[in-house]
């Protein structure tokens, strides 16, 4: 596939979502060689190169398959249906404990990446086959998540808050359920509930500004 000019800007200026964009401190510059090689592998795979959410996205017939990302300590190649891959080399990681679908390969050096090239090529072809086959990840629905008792209690007491909660999209509700429910201590859950009230009232999800 031919490189997409729209994506070129990412490799020079970054995703544009932080103040470091288009500066020498942008994280993409820490992994310039690694990202270049990953891009070459992805273009060779036959996937279409696009830019979504500010980062390179590789698609098959309009379906998102792969994302590239750069962070302070590493860069990653994310397989959006990675949970369906066999992973014989045991290199796929979860982005977070609540990730249901995405899995990524963490890259920390060009030397490490070079050794992984055959594995990445094989995983890319498997990811494309998964997309071609129409396989879907059975995602856990918002209503399947348990509502922490600390949140449930305040929703029962506060009618306006309950009304605002009911208006939230499933994704926004899920963000709060995961945030509150991930705390092990009751005191922490209570504290988190108190802090998320303004966001719920504003109709936003956890972490939204």
């Amino acid at each position: 596939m031919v490189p997409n000019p729209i994506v070129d800007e990412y490799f020079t200026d970054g995703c544009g979502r932080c103040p470091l964009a288009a500066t020498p401190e942008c994280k993409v510059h820490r992994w310039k060689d690694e990202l270049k090689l990953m891009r070459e592998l992805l273009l060779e795979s036959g996937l279409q190169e696009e830019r979504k959410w500010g980062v390179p996205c590789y698609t098959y017939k309009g379906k998102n398959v792969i994302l590239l990302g750069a962070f302070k300590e590493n860069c990653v190649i994310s397989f959006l249906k990675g949970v369906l891959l066999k992973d014989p080399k045991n290199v796929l990681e979860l982005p977070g404990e609540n990730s249901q679908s995405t899995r990524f390969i963490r890259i920390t050096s060009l030397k490490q990446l070079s050794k992984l090239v055959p594995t990445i090529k094989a995983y890319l072809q498997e990811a494309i086959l998964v997309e071609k086959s129409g396989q879907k990840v059975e995602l856990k629905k918002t209503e399947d998540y348990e509502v922490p008792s600390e949140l449930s209690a305040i929703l029962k007491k506060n009618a306006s808050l309950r009304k605002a909660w009911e208006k939230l999209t499933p994704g926004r509700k899920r963000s709060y359920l995961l945030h509150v429910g991930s705390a092990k201590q009751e005191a922490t859950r209570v504290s988190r509930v108190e802090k998320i009230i303004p966001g719920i009232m504003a109709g936003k999800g956890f972490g939204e500004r």
Side-chain angles (χ1 to χ4, degrees), residues 2-206:
V2 178
N4 188 334
I6 296 176
V7 180
D8 291 339
E9 185 180 349
Y10 170 82
F11 294 98
T12 57
D13 297 342
C15 66
R17 291 180 293 180
C18 81
L20 298 179
T23 71
E25 289 74 32
C26 179
K27 296 179 182 64
V28 298
H29 298 304
R30 302 184 183 190
W31 310 102
K32 185 176 181 179
D33 293 335
E34 290 83 356
L35 289 168
K36 179 182 178 182
L37 177 53
M38 286 196 288
R39 186 186 194 188
E40 291 174 355
L41 295 175
L42 285 157
L43 290 173
E44 289 174 3
S45 74
L47 291 172
Q48 185 72 37
E49 185 176 64
E50 301 182 39
R51 186 170 180 178
K52 299 184 180 182
W53 306 287
V55 302
C57 178
Y58 297 83
T59 65
Y60 174 77
K61 291 187 176 181
K63 300 293 185 180
N64 303 329
V65 180
I66 302 289
L67 292 178
L68 288 183
F71 303 95
K72 183 177 180 180
E73 303 296 335
N74 53 71
C75 57
V76 301
I77 178 171
S78 297
F79 296 80
L80 300 185
K81 289 185 179 178
V83 69
L84 299 179
L85 302 185
K86 298 182 179 65
D87 191 21
K89 300 297 184 179
N90 196 31
V91 294
L92 296 179
E93 300 182 40
L94 276 73
E97 60 179 305
N98 296 304
S99 176
Q100 299 184 61
S101 182
T102 302
R103 298 293 184 270
F104 68 82
I105 297 178
R106 187 194 307 269
I107 305 301
T108 57
S109 71
L110 185 59
K111 181 179 180 180
Q112 175 222 8
L113 174 58
S114 297
K115 291 180 179 179
L116 283 172
V117 165
T119 297
I120 292 175
K121 284 185 175 181
Y123 281 36
L124 286 175
Q125 291 308 308
E126 184 181 1
I128 293 171
L129 288 176
V130 165
E131 200 58 58
K132 285 182 177 179
S133 71
Q135 293 184 62
K136 296 183 178 180
V137 178
E138 293 296 327
L139 299 175
K140 188 176 180 181
K141 298 179 180 179
T142 299
E143 53 266 32
D144 295 330
Y145 286 89
E146 181 180 355
V147 179
S149 59
E150 296 80 6
L151 176 57
S152 178
I154 197 168
L155 289 174
K156 290 179 180 179
K157 293 179 181 179
N158 190 325
S160 60
L161 181 65
R162 183 170 64 253
K163 185 176 181 180
W165 173 262
E166 291 171 351
K167 289 183 178 180
L168 292 177
T169 62
R172 286 178 171 135
K173 286 182 180 178
R174 186 163 58 248
S175 70
Y176 288 122
L177 294 176
L178 293 173
H179 175 61
V180 176
S182 64
K184 297 181 180 180
Q185 300 295 324
E186 179 182 358
T188 305
R189 291 194 295 273
V190 170
S191 175
R192 289 186 179 184
V193 168
E194 293 174 349
K195 292 178 180 178
I196 65 175
I197 290 176
I200 294 174
M201 294 300 294
K204 300 178 179 180
F206 178 69

